[in-house]
């Protein structure tokens, strides 16, 4: 126990001396601290935002259909029909089959793309009468309308639709509903000039989640001219999109990481003549190599950990308190209708640990290696 107390007291003295030594080079260390913190802030912001968006998408897709069947014609999406819906109802293991109506509209007045959709029958809170609509948060914000006010749509063929806003979808679903316009079945068919038996695609619910893949296989056999998509396929697509965008940002920031590595090696490694002289004076006045290296390691550890913690906290506030305004155009998408929603904190421990290792260990190595070489030099030569 006494040996442990002696070691702790010794390390405390080394930390005190390291802090005093850092104070003598205040300007250089503050500049290094600022650059280090900024780099960790940017990298951590990208990682935290990517993880939060993936978790948000996974949560919202929990209510998506188990299987979606889309008609194909010459490799392009085509309309499905009521007969296709009836054929899928005969498949064993299928709990519910519904034809869905949805499509896209480019609004020239706001230069934005809208997703027009008919709400499913089971969504009783979104039931609409002809002439009514429910808008996504982004559309309502862009059109500057709220519940009870009128909104007008014009199709590419000139069909005019006058609607009354029944409600605005909550901001918590903005990731997938920001650009959405919900319409009644009759209004949707009239707007896009569709027949009564036509559907954009077909949604299936499966009784046993273990049989989703088998039901999807049966659906593909029953409707050869259709494409079958499972909920897991959609989730993997979201994962790929967010991971790709996150990877692009991290690749662009790799240059900044390399520049910081050069700065850390040049400015914080103690290779300057003055710091080399200070280090050798310690050796000449009785310090052993282990204590001198420990002191410099404590100084480097204080800088790296302070920078990492400060950068991570700033990134956490940036992403989860302010919704990452510096990164949302890249990772969230939407050219005009940027979704506004409060992200639920989601931290990937493995990614943060990797960031910590990449941010701290190279810096410590840049400090130790040159100092070890200095310690091996001739003290009298350095003193002269």
């Amino acid at each position: 126990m006494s040996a442990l107390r002696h070691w702790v007291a010794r390390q405390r003295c080394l930390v005190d001396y390291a802090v005093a030594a850092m104070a003598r080079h205040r300007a250089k260390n503050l500049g290094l601290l600022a650059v280090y913190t900024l780099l960790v802030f940017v990298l951590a912001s990208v990682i935290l935002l990517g993880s939060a968006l993936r978790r948000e998408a996974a949560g919202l897709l929990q209510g998506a259909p188990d299987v979606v069947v889309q008609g194909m014609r010459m490799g392009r999406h085509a309309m499905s029909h009521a007969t296709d819906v009836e054929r899928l109802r005969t498949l064993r293991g299928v709990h519910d089959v519904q034809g869905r109506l949805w499509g896209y509209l480019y609004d020239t007045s706001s230069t934005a793309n809208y997703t027009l959709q008919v709400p499913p029958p089971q969504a009783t809170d979104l039931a609409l009468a002809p002439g009514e609509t429910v808008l996504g948060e982004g559309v309502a914000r862009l059109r500057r309308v709220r519940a009870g006010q009128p909104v007008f749509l014009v199709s590419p063929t000139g069909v005019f639709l006058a609607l009354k806003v029944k409600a605005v979808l909550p901001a918590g679903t903005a990731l997938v509903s920001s650009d959405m316009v919900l319409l009644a079945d009759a209004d949707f068919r009239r707007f896009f000039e569709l027949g009564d038996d036509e559907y954009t695609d077909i949604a299936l619910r499966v009784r046993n989640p273990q049989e989703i893949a088998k039901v999807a296989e049966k659906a593909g056999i029953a409707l050869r001219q259709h494409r079958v998509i499972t909920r897991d396929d959609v989730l993997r697509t979201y994962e790929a999109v967010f991971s790709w965008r996150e990877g692009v940002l991290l690749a662009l920031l790799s240059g900044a990481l390399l520049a910081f590595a050069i700065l850390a090696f040049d400015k914080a490694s103690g290779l300057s003549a003055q710091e080399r002289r200070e280090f050798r004076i310690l050796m000449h006045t009785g310090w052993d190599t282990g204590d001198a290296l420990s002191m410099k390691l404590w100084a480097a550890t204080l800088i790296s950990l302070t920078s990492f913690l400060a950068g991570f906290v700033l990134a956490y506030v940036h992403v989860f308190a302010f919704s990452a305004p510096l990164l949302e155009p890249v990772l969230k998408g939407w050219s005009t209708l940027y979704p506004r929603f409060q992200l639920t904190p989601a931290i990937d421990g493995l990614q943060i640990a990797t960031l910590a290792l990449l941010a701290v260990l190279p810096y410590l190595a840049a400090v130790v290696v040159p100092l070890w070489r200095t310690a091996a030099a001739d003290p009298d030569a350095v003193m002269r």
Side-chain angles (χ1 to χ4, degrees), residues 7-17 298:
W7 183 87
V8 171
R10 189 183 187 90
Q11 298 304 313
R12 185 179 302 168
C13 293
L14 290 175
V15 171
D16 291 340
Y17 188 89
W298 274 117

Side-chain angles (χ1 to χ4, degrees), residues 13-14 17 279 281-292 295:
C13 293
L14 290 175
Y17 188 89
F279 185 76
I281 289 174
L282 293 178
M283 300 287 295
H284 198 69
T285 55
W287 286 53
D288 60 34
T289 303
D291 285 342
M295 182 272 294

Side-chain angles (χ1 to χ4, degrees), residues 347-378:
I347 299 176
D348 189 327
L350 179 60
Q351 287 184 325
I352 299 304
T354 303
L355 175 61
L357 291 176
L358 292 177
V360 174
L361 289 185
Y363 178 77
L364 296 180
V367 171
V368 171
V369 173
L371 288 174
W372 182 264
R373 292 177 179 174
T374 301
D378 181 19

Side-chain angles (χ1 to χ4, degrees), residues 79-89 97 99 189 196-199 202:
M79 302 300 291
S80 300
H81 297 84
T83 54
D84 300 325
V85 177
E86 295 305 319
R87 290 183 66 181
L88 293 177
R89 290 188 194 278
V97 180
R189 294 185 183 278
D196 292 339
D197 67 334
E198 291 184 286
Y199 298 98
I202 306 170

Side-chain angles (χ1 to χ4, degrees), residues 97-178:
V97 180
Q98 292 180 356
R100 301 195 304 179
L101 289 171
W102 58 269
Y104 299 112
L105 172 68
Y106 177 74
D107 181 40
T108 55
S109 63
S110 59
T111 65
N113 286 297
Y114 300 157
T115 300
L116 276 61
Q117 182 176 341
V118 176
Q122 63 268 24
T124 55
D125 55 328
L126 298 177
L128 298 171
E132 292 182 336
T133 183
V134 173
L135 302 180
E137 180 271 336
V139 179
R141 170 168 37 90
L142 194 63
R143 286 297 194 94
R144 298 179 181 178
V145 295
R146 57 181 183 273
Q149 293 185 329
V151 65
F152 307 99
L153 299 176
V154 181
S155 75
T157 59
V159 177
F160 182 80
L161 204 59
L163 303 166
K164 181 180 179 181
V165 180
K166 180 180 179 181
V168 176
L169 292 172
T173 63
L175 182 63
V176 294
S177 68
S178 179

Side-chain angles (χ1 to χ4, degrees), residues 59-266:
L60 292 173
L61 288 174
Q62 291 301 314
D66 297 318
V67 181
V68 174
V69 180
Q70 295 180 341
M72 301 292 293
R73 183 178 178 84
M74 295 184 293
R76 296 288 183 177
H77 179 268
M79 302 300 291
S80 300
H81 297 84
T83 54
D84 300 325
V85 177
E86 295 305 319
R87 290 183 66 181
L88 293 177
R89 290 188 194 278
T90 62
L91 297 179
R92 293 184 60 183
V94 175
H95 173 67
D96 183 45
V97 180
Q98 292 180 356
R100 301 195 304 179
L101 289 171
W102 58 269
Y104 299 112
L105 172 68
Y106 177 74
D107 181 40
T108 55
S109 63
S110 59
T111 65
N113 286 297
Y114 300 157
T115 300
L116 276 61
Q117 182 176 341
V118 176
Q122 63 268 24
T124 55
D125 55 328
L126 298 177
L128 298 171
E132 292 182 336
T133 183
V134 173
L135 302 180
E137 180 271 336
V139 179
R141 170 168 37 90
L142 194 63
R143 286 297 194 94
R144 298 179 181 178
V145 295
R146 57 181 183 273
Q149 293 185 329
V151 65
F152 307 99
L153 299 176
V154 181
S155 75
T157 59
V159 177
F160 182 80
L161 204 59
L163 303 166
K164 181 180 179 181
V165 180
K166 180 180 179 181
V168 176
L169 292 172
T173 63
L175 182 63
V176 294
S177 68
S178 179
D179 63 341
M180 191 167 289
V181 179
L182 299 181
L183 302 174
D185 185 284
D187 289 337
F188 186 95
R189 294 185 183 278
R190 182 169 68 85
F191 188 75
F192 286 107
E193 301 177 353
L194 298 178
D196 292 339
D197 67 334
E198 291 184 286
Y199 298 98
T200 308
D201 58 23
I202 306 170
L204 285 71
R205 302 279 180 177
V206 181
R207 289 191 181 89
N208 185 357
Q210 303 297 325
E211 297 180 351
I212 292 178
K214 189 62 177 180
V215 170
E217 180 184 349
K218 292 179 180 178
I221 295 174
L223 300 176
R224 295 283 185 178
Q225 298 299 319
H226 285 63
R227 174 174 58 185
V228 180
I229 305 170
T230 66
R231 182 170 54 201
D232 289 341
D233 293 334
V234 178
L235 181 58
R236 281 193 295 269
T237 301
Y238 272 98
E239 289 271 357
V241 169
F242 290 137
S243 297
W244 177 81
R245 292 176 177 178
E246 182 180 347
V248 168
L249 278 178
L250 292 176
L252 293 175
L253 292 171
S254 62
L257 187 61
L258 178 61
F260 172 75
I262 296 174
L263 175 67
F265 186 83
D266 183 55

